[in-house]
Amino acid sequence: MFPTIDKQRTGQRIRMLMKQQNITVKQIQEYLNLSCVQGIYHWLDGTSMPTIDNLYALSELFEVPMDYLELEAMRAKKAEERGGFSDKIFLEYVE
């Protein structure tokens, strides 16, 4: 079995980082030079994923490793299945 990226959790992770850093959807739109905000809302809702280049740009904007945005979502799901995970680990990483 190969790992899959959880779009829902990735969207939740992006939303969490936006909240922590007081970044709005409009600011992300401008930073990524997107024509509209609709795609960003699709990411946040988990109906689609950012492209690789947008994931890279988001990682730069949020100042987190790129794989934190998507791979940590997969790791979090596995950890929850095993008995628990918290974003506390990440918060300690960025402080």
Side-chain angles (χ1 to χ4, degrees), residues 5 10 14 31-32 34 43 48-61 64-67 69-71:
I5 295 173
T10 300
I14 294 170
Y31 183 78
L32 298 176
L34 301 174
W43 304 340
S48 69
M49 286 285 296
T51 60
I52 295 295
D53 55 334
N54 284 338
L55 278 171
Y56 180 77
L58 288 170
S59 74
E60 292 293 313
L61 175 65
V64 297
M66 188 170 125
D67 66 343
L69 296 172
E70 16 89 75
L71 295 179

Side-chain angles (χ1 to χ4, degrees), residues 13 16 20 68 72 76 85-92:
R13 182 64 44 108
M16 178 196 70
Q20 286 175 348
Y68 178 76
E72 285 299 321
F85 175 81
S86 167
D87 279 321
K88 180 181 175 188
I89 295 167
F90 173 71
L91 295 175
E92 290 171 359

